[in-house]
Amino acid sequence: MYKYTEFDEAFVRTRTAQFREQVARRISGALTEDEFKPLRLMNGLYLQLHAYMLRVAIPYGTISSAQMRQLAMIADRWDKGYGHFTTRQNIQFNWPLLNDVPDILDALADVGMHAIQTSGNCVRNVTADHFAGAAADEIADPRPVAELLRQWSTDHPEFQFLPRKFKIAITGSPNDRAVTRAHDIGLRMIERDGQPGFEVTMGGGLGRTPMLGRVVRDFLPRADLLPYVEAILSVYNAQGRRDNKYKARIKITLFEMGLEAMRDQVEARFVEIRPEWTGEDQAALAHITADFAPPVFRDGPFGAYEDARASDPVFRAWADTNLEVHRRADHAIITVSLKAHGETPGDASSDQMRVLADLAAQYGYDELRISHEQNVILPHVHRADLPAVHAALRAAGLATANVGLISDIIACPGMDYCALATARSIPVAQAIAERFAETERDIGGLKVKISGCINACGHHHVGHIGILGLEKGGVESYQITLGGDATETAAIGERTGPGFAYDAIVPAIERVVGAYLAQRDSSDETFVEAYRRLGAAPFKAALYDADQANAA
């Protein structure tokens, strides 16, 4: 893992000291809320529906046991004993008092963490494949590149006030687990003629105008990455609209300019600035890469795993859904579900955080990951240790065997917390999870994603079943989209038709799932495969009466 240098330490401490003074001036009344707002946003502090919310960065989702324990301490000391992991691999604390926030930032700095650039119109937390460095299908670990991008973009003088927020994701595997095509810039690590490089996509994004990123370079040599990313941001900074925040993202700039015209400007800017890059970035990347050397893996038999799998059906069910293939045959990747049936997706109590930290320290080479799907990953666990880890997770309420199933739902905070939300999302997710708790294994792989407003923080556009909560005429209404996909075969889901009332959305999902079960070729055909084969018609017929289905 990357370790803070003296520069990093001094930078974060200085920012915290500055913010402490700004908070004092706000509390004294020397700053109005309007004057304070841009200052707090630069430090990840939002004013939500009921209280302030502090969003803490977890770069590319990688976190140590000491950092996780510190988050647990913060949750107990300054919040309500829990934290909420987000789709940008961050954690949010929903109840901090304003005068406590500088102390929280100091506590974060003690373990090499911060909340810088988790909000505002700048480059946000760079996200990456949560299985990075462990996945069997990986070409290269994307985290050193993500860290290089983080260092380059932090407080970059040219890009602190972009037209809108800017999101970058990177994957080192052909199987895209980082949703790269839904990002402003998506980077896929590839090789061509033995040379490492990237496929670069541009202009992806969800929100009120969902678009998938388009390929702007099918192969970019590794040494050209930072100047090329800078060229894209320079063109966007100059051409992006600032007259309408809803048309300010790069996807709109790309749409209005056209791919060829925008690509021409990016390439021209790249040619202009490329000579300024004389190799310092590659030297920095080499230094960073050393921090991400794989651990010294333990060898040994794993008969205990085989025995548990043969004798314990609960363990076997968990292993079938929550384990992924590691690049070493004697290790496994564990996805710890934060989606216990009926609970809030993405929430972890301080006690659960400490259990996760202990397991990482004892069995996981002191490393944890946060996934964009709001789960926690133990990326390297020897198979002989899996029964012990499962037992500890089970005792902590963290052994729900549902990863990739219908109850493994991404859901934004919705109207329970968010000032922008127009509908509830958490209670809908809880109700769906409880409704299908007994049958979800028979249903098979199915991604449900729920957003409580048009901003789409719950990624509903790329859910196999997407649910968008809106307010219409003073009541909540839920639209359904089908056929979305967040992987390397990314697709935006298609809206089925009129929305459903709050008390009708779960029965509507029941009818969609029922239509799938009735028409799938076999239990091996997943929901999204069946949707692609059948089209929308049978699902619309299940959702609406004949007249509505035809109109939809």
Side-chain angles (χ1 to χ4, degrees):
M1 289 180 59
Y2 178 74
K3 301 290 192 305
Y4 269 21
T5 63
E6 291 183 4
F7 174 86
D8 297 322
E9 172 79 13
F11 179 86
V12 171
R13 295 290 184 187
T14 300
R15 281 289 293 265
T16 300
Q18 290 171 344
F19 192 56
R20 187 179 294 279
E21 294 179 1
Q22 293 158 0
V23 168
R25 291 167 64 199
R26 173 68 187 113
I27 292 174
S28 73
L31 290 176
T32 66
E33 175 54 32
D34 284 346
E35 292 168 332
F36 181 59
K37 181 178 179 179
L39 303 175
R40 64 172 167 79
L41 289 178
M42 291 175 67
N43 293 280
L45 187 64
Y46 288 74
L47 185 56
Q48 292 286 61
L49 204 57
H50 308 293
Y52 284 103
M53 178 273 283
L54 181 65
R55 182 179 293 157
V56 177
I58 302 176
Y60 33 91
T62 297
I63 185 171
S64 70
S65 62
Q67 291 171 325
M68 184 65 91
R69 286 195 186 94
Q70 195 77 336
L71 295 178
M73 185 278 289
I74 290 169
D76 280 339
R77 184 170 179 182
W78 290 298
D79 208 87
K80 293 190 176 182
Y82 71 96
H84 178 74
F85 292 102
T86 78
T87 55
R88 290 213 63 73
Q89 300 178 304
N90 296 314
I91 185 170
Q92 295 180 175
F93 293 107
N94 286 315
W95 305 98
L97 299 176
L98 178 57
N99 59 350
D100 288 335
V101 173
D103 291 337
I104 298 174
L105 296 179
D106 264 337
L108 291 170
D110 289 343
V111 292
M113 299 184 77
H114 60 77
I116 298 168
Q117 293 190 193
T118 57
S119 58
N121 293 333
C122 55
V123 178
R124 300 286 187 89
N125 188 36
V126 177
T127 54
D129 182 354
H130 43 267
F131 294 161
D137 62 354
E138 188 172 85
I139 296 171
D141 188 340
R143 292 173 301 158
V145 176
E147 174 60 26
L148 181 70
L149 287 162
R150 186 193 70 80
Q151 293 185 16
W152 166 79
S153 62
T154 298
D155 254 11
H156 193 297
E158 188 179 345
F159 305 132
Q160 286 304 292
F161 300 98
L162 294 165
R164 279 291 279 143
K165 58 188 172 185
F166 201 91
K167 300 177 180 178
I168 301 174
I170 179 169
T171 178
S173 299
N175 297 305
D176 186 358
R177 291 176 286 265
V179 207
T180 58
R181 291 191 64 197
H183 283 74
D184 298 293
I185 291 178
L187 300 170
R188 188 167 67 89
M189 301 177 84
I190 57 176
E191 288 184 351
R192 180 173 291 181
D193 300 327
Q195 298 300 311
F198 304 90
E199 179 194 78
V200 183
T201 58
M202 178 175 70
L206 301 178
R208 66 183 59 225
T209 313
M211 296 183 185
L212 296 178
R214 302 176 70 182
V215 176
V216 64
R217 269 286 192 108
D218 62 358
F219 182 79
L220 181 75
R222 185 170 64 182
D224 290 342
L225 178 65
L226 282 192
Y228 201 80
V229 169
E230 181 167 312
I232 292 174
L233 276 157
S234 293
V235 171
Y236 168 56
N237 204 20
Q239 301 293 345
R241 292 179 59 171
R242 298 175 191 269
D243 62 320
N244 184 338
K245 66 180 290 187
Y246 302 117
K247 296 183 178 180
R249 296 290 293 271
I250 192 174
K251 61 188 176 184
I252 304 298
T253 311
L254 176 61
F255 176 78
E256 292 183 344
M257 290 181 67
L259 178 61
E260 296 304 319
M262 190 162 182
R263 177 192 280 145
D264 288 347
Q265 291 199 18
V266 169
E267 294 290 342
R269 178 63 176 158
F270 173 68
V271 169
E272 181 182 355
I273 65 175
R274 183 64 182 89
E276 299 171 7
W277 294 80
T278 56
E280 293 87 350
D281 57 322
Q282 294 306 299
L285 179 59
H287 179 76
I288 292 168
T289 300
D291 279 347
F292 289 91
V296 179
F297 289 111
R298 175 181 132 219
D299 293 317
F302 48 91
Y305 164 73
E306 301 291 357
D307 291 345
R309 187 174 175 81
S311 61
D312 183 350
V314 175
F315 175 81
R316 184 166 58 250
W318 174 80
D320 284 345
T321 52
N322 293 41
L323 299 185
E324 282 288 335
V325 178
H326 194 276
R327 61 182 184 169
R328 283 178 59 104
D330 56 358
H331 281 63
I333 304 169
I334 297 176
T335 298
V336 180
S337 172
L338 297 183
K339 317 287 178 57
H341 301 120
E343 300 296 328
T344 300
D347 275 10
S349 70
S350 56
D351 288 341
Q352 289 175 325
M353 291 183 210
R354 291 188 184 92
V355 168
L356 291 165
D358 291 344
L359 291 174
Q362 185 172 356
Y363 299 110
Y365 304 91
D366 201 31
E367 193 170 321
L368 296 142
R369 309 281 175 76
I370 308 304
S371 76
H372 80 274
E373 294 185 315
Q374 300 177 287
N375 290 317
V376 177
I377 314 297
L378 288 161
H380 315 290
V381 178
H382 194 281
R383 286 185 177 270
D385 296 329
L386 291 172
V389 173
H390 176 251
L393 292 172
R394 198 173 176 188
L398 289 168
T400 306
N402 64 345
V403 172
L405 303 181
I406 190 172
S407 65
D408 184 14
I409 297 170
I410 290 179
C412 74
M415 221 158 52
D416 287 276
Y417 298 104
C418 181
L420 301 176
T422 53
R424 290 168 287 177
S425 54
I426 291 173
V428 175
Q430 292 169 324
I432 291 173
E434 290 184 316
R435 167 61 186 83
F436 292 100
E438 301 301 321
T439 58
E440 61 182 339
R441 301 186 76 82
D442 295 331
I443 296 168
L446 206 173
K447 303 280 190 179
V448 175
K449 304 177 192 293
I450 307 173
S451 300
C453 80
I454 197 71
N455 293 302
C457 293
H459 293 189
H460 67 276
H461 294 298
V462 290
H464 299 159
I465 297 176
I467 300 173
L468 168 61
L470 297 169
E471 183 273 329
K472 286 192 173 182
V475 298
E476 294 161 287
S477 176
Y478 293 85
Q479 294 177 356
I480 294 175
T481 53
L482 300 176
D485 183 355
T487 71
E488 64 280 0
T489 52
I492 301 295
E494 301 173 72
R495 184 181 163 191
T496 57
F500 297 86
Y502 176 77
D503 60 0
I505 184 62
V506 175
I509 300 303
E510 288 177 335
R511 296 199 293 280
V512 170
V513 172
Y516 156 64
L517 293 174
Q519 302 207 41
R520 65 183 179 184
D521 272 345
S522 70
S523 59
D524 292 332
E525 186 180 45
T526 65
F527 178 90
V528 73
E529 289 169 346
Y531 182 82
R532 287 170 179 163
R533 177 175 59 83
L534 296 165
F539 300 95
K540 287 184 179 182
L543 280 171
Y544 307 104
D545 61 30
D547 290 342
Q548 282 183 307
N550 291 333

